[in-house]
Amino acid sequence: MQEKKYSIQKDFSMMALMFIPIGVAINFVGGQLASLLKLPVYLDTIGTMLTAILSGPWVGAVTGLLTNIVTGIANPVNFWFIPVNVIVGLVVGFLSRADWWRGWKLILSFIIMDLVSLLVATPIVVYVYGGVTGGGTSLLTAVLMATGQSIWASVMSVEIVWTTLDRVLSYLIAMLIIKVIPAKTLVKFSLGELYIGKKKTELPELEEAEEIVEEIVTTDDKTE
């Protein structure tokens, strides 16, 4: 079977271009909800992951970039985290091209995405904000710092748990959205064909992701 060739031009199909504003809007709503409720998760990469899964890395990266530019107007903190949302789009998109968002590769995909997110976000949190950004995780970071832990250890300890939870939740929501998109619409995305089969199943990948969430929450409860 001939391997499918991808290109930036094909990724930015008319459907993808129309979907980018939707992805930005989803990110905006999720981010605002998390901010208003002071949740320890961010929910501002749901739309980025959605567009990257369906249209590849570059469309995901553009969605992430535009999201933080738009949300940065209301909350300047988000300008600093533009690289994080862009990286999420790139990583998720390349993993989607490799068809890694299913089966046992799903776990590896989350690990790769979390590690890359932490490597990009942690220096920003530490050097720009001194470990406290005002988000839902800032209180947890401050508590750990008060116990004598270093700023790096405190930020990493908090982010490794809640970033993972955030990405899993974002993936679940993105896949649920994909599940309700008609097959005739999915084929108009460069990677949409990979997910048409999932619409006819119970999406076992979602069940695996839900198990990851439960394990994370259980582990966090035990540490507390």
Side-chain angles (χ1 to χ4, degrees):
M1 182 177 179
Q2 187 176 5
E3 184 178 354
K4 183 176 180 179
K5 295 183 178 180
Y6 299 100
S7 68
I8 295 179
Q9 182 178 359
K10 290 182 179 180
D11 286 348
F12 284 93
S13 63
M14 182 59 67
M15 183 60 69
L17 292 173
M18 294 172 60
F19 215 62
I20 288 175
I22 296 175
V24 172
I26 293 173
N27 285 343
F28 179 81
V29 172
Q32 288 296 106
L33 182 63
S35 179
L36 290 173
L37 298 179
K38 294 296 181 182
L39 300 176
V41 290
Y42 311 106
L43 303 180
D44 59 353
T45 59
I46 299 171
T48 302
M49 294 183 69
L50 177 62
T51 55
I53 287 173
L54 291 178
S55 299
W58 307 111
V59 177
V62 170
T63 303
L65 172 64
L66 293 178
T67 293
N68 281 52
I69 290 176
V70 172
T71 58
I73 297 174
N75 184 7
V77 170
N78 292 330
F79 284 127
W80 287 100
F81 291 94
I82 286 177
V84 179
N85 217 333
V86 170
I87 286 295
V88 168
L90 289 173
V91 172
V92 172
F94 280 118
L95 289 172
S96 184
R97 278 187 180 180
D99 198 15
W100 272 39
W101 290 110
R102 70 176 82 213
W104 63 271
K105 293 180 180 179
L106 180 68
I107 307 299
L108 292 179
S109 295
F110 280 122
I111 293 174
I112 293 171
M113 181 169 55
D114 288 344
L115 288 177
V116 173
S117 295
L118 287 171
L119 287 174
V120 176
T122 301
I124 298 174
V125 175
V126 172
Y127 288 122
V128 179
Y129 295 100
V132 180
T133 63
T137 59
S138 294
L139 178 60
L140 299 174
T141 302
V143 169
L144 290 178
M145 291 173 62
T147 63
Q149 288 194 34
S150 69
I151 183 174
W152 284 95
S154 299
V155 172
M156 290 292 289
S157 297
V158 171
E159 293 300 327
I160 198 169
V161 173
W162 295 106
T163 295
T164 301
L165 180 60
D166 176 75
R167 299 299 186 257
V168 173
L169 288 174
S170 297
Y171 167 79
L172 286 171
I173 296 172
M175 291 307 298
L176 287 174
I177 294 174
I178 290 174
K179 185 179 180 181
V180 301
I181 298 176
K184 63 181 181 180
T185 301
L186 283 178
V187 297
K188 296 179 181 180
F189 295 97
S190 61
L191 302 176
E193 293 181 359
L194 295 174
Y195 303 95
I196 292 178
K198 293 185 177 184
K199 295 168 61 59
K200 300 177 182 179
T201 67
E202 294 299 321
L203 293 183
E205 291 82 2
L206 296 185
E207 296 178 1
E208 294 177 19
E210 289 171 352
E211 291 177 2
I212 296 174
V213 175
E214 293 178 0
E215 291 178 5
I216 294 171
V217 174
T218 303
T219 303
D220 189 53
D221 291 340
K222 290 181 179 178
T223 56
E224 293 178 354

